[in-house]
Amino acid sequence: MSTLPVNPVPETDAAKRVLPPRPKAAALVALSFTLLLYLVELVDVILPGDLDQGGIHSRVLSGLDGVLFAPLLHAGWSHLFANTVPVLVFSFLAMAAGIGRFALVTAIIWVVSGLGVWLIGPANAVTVGASGLAFGWLAYLLVRGIFNRAAGQILVAVVLLGVWSGMLVGLLPGNPGVSWQGHVFGALAGVLAAWLTSRTGKSRKAVPAAPGNLEG
């Protein structure tokens, strides 16, 4: 009888992937979420009530639940149209490490950006829209390559920055009707999510494979 180490099967580092491993599934998730936003806006238009009042009411305890609902609501079709392409593209690319990792990243951005708006958003106003998510996903995509030390991801970040650099203006205050607070906290949450998920990946790599016992 003898004891031999198990040779681990080489695997592609999921954290360093540029595109989702299952692109069709990732595209379906991105499209389904976007269609949900359109469905919610259609319901808001049809129903006599105003669903947008379910958004974030800053520093009002009764409006804190708006953190959960605000990204699904939009102040009209033009607002939703402006968010559509960024939501589709950024959410798809953010699934490069798998849908599970994407869900974690999205949850961090969703909660942190919403709480940021609730804490410092404008008083006597309701904040809605998925732009906080879009800024969070973009920030995540821009910095993940640095944390993961992945050249391919850094190249994608350069391309994204070149195409969507105009979005960064939304981080500055002074544009009436635009929640720069949601954009800033969304971006900060995206950086936080990139850092946390990179740390998680490194921790898993540090765990050595257990030897296998051959008995007979």
Side-chain angles (χ1 to χ4, degrees), residues 9-59:
V9 178
E11 295 181 355
T12 302
D13 190 344
K16 295 186 177 183
R17 279 196 296 254
V18 172
L19 295 175
R22 299 171 58 194
K24 290 183 180 179
L28 181 60
V29 171
L31 183 60
S32 297
F33 179 73
T34 305
L35 289 176
L36 174 62
L37 300 182
Y38 275 80
L39 178 60
V40 171
E41 185 60 26
L42 180 61
V43 171
D44 189 27
V45 170
I46 294 174
L47 292 181
D50 187 1
L51 294 183
D52 290 346
Q53 291 304 309
I56 301 171
H57 297 251
S58 301
R59 296 174 298 284

Side-chain angles (χ1 to χ4, degrees), residues 2-206:
S2 61
T3 301
L4 300 174
V6 174
N7 294 323
V9 178
E11 295 181 355
T12 302
D13 190 344
K16 295 186 177 183
R17 279 196 296 254
V18 172
L19 295 175
R22 299 171 58 194
K24 290 183 180 179
L28 181 60
V29 171
L31 183 60
S32 297
F33 179 73
T34 305
L35 289 176
L36 174 62
L37 300 182
Y38 275 80
L39 178 60
V40 171
E41 185 60 26
L42 180 61
V43 171
D44 189 27
V45 170
I46 294 174
L47 292 181
D50 187 1
L51 294 183
D52 290 346
Q53 291 304 309
I56 301 171
H57 297 251
S58 301
R59 296 174 298 284
V60 177
L61 284 178
S62 60
L64 189 56
D65 57 353
V67 171
L68 299 177
F69 304 118
L72 303 176
L73 304 168
H74 287 83
W77 291 110
S78 60
H79 186 201
L80 178 54
F81 294 156
N83 283 334
T84 297
V85 174
V87 165
L88 280 171
V89 174
F90 300 159
S91 62
F92 175 79
L93 292 175
M95 283 182 256
I99 293 178
R101 177 72 61 86
F102 168 74
L104 175 60
V105 168
T106 301
I108 294 171
I109 297 169
W110 195 302
V111 173
V112 172
S113 62
L115 289 177
V117 170
W118 187 82
L119 285 171
I120 68 169
N124 302 316
V126 182
T127 302
V128 297
S131 56
L133 284 178
F135 271 86
W137 286 328
L138 177 59
Y140 168 78
L141 293 169
L142 291 179
V143 303
R144 62 175 179 170
I146 299 173
F147 292 123
N148 296 326
R149 298 181 181 178
Q153 292 180 348
I154 293 175
L155 179 60
V156 169
V158 171
V159 174
L160 289 174
L161 191 58
V163 175
W164 273 283
S165 58
M167 279 184 61
L168 301 183
V169 177
L171 297 172
L172 303 176
N175 194 345
V178 176
S179 175
W180 64 268
Q181 298 93 338
H183 299 168
V184 168
F185 276 93
L188 291 175
V191 174
L192 175 63
W195 178 74
L196 289 176
T197 53
S198 69
R199 298 274 297 179
T200 301
K202 291 175 183 177
S203 298
R204 289 177 179 173
K205 283 184 186 178

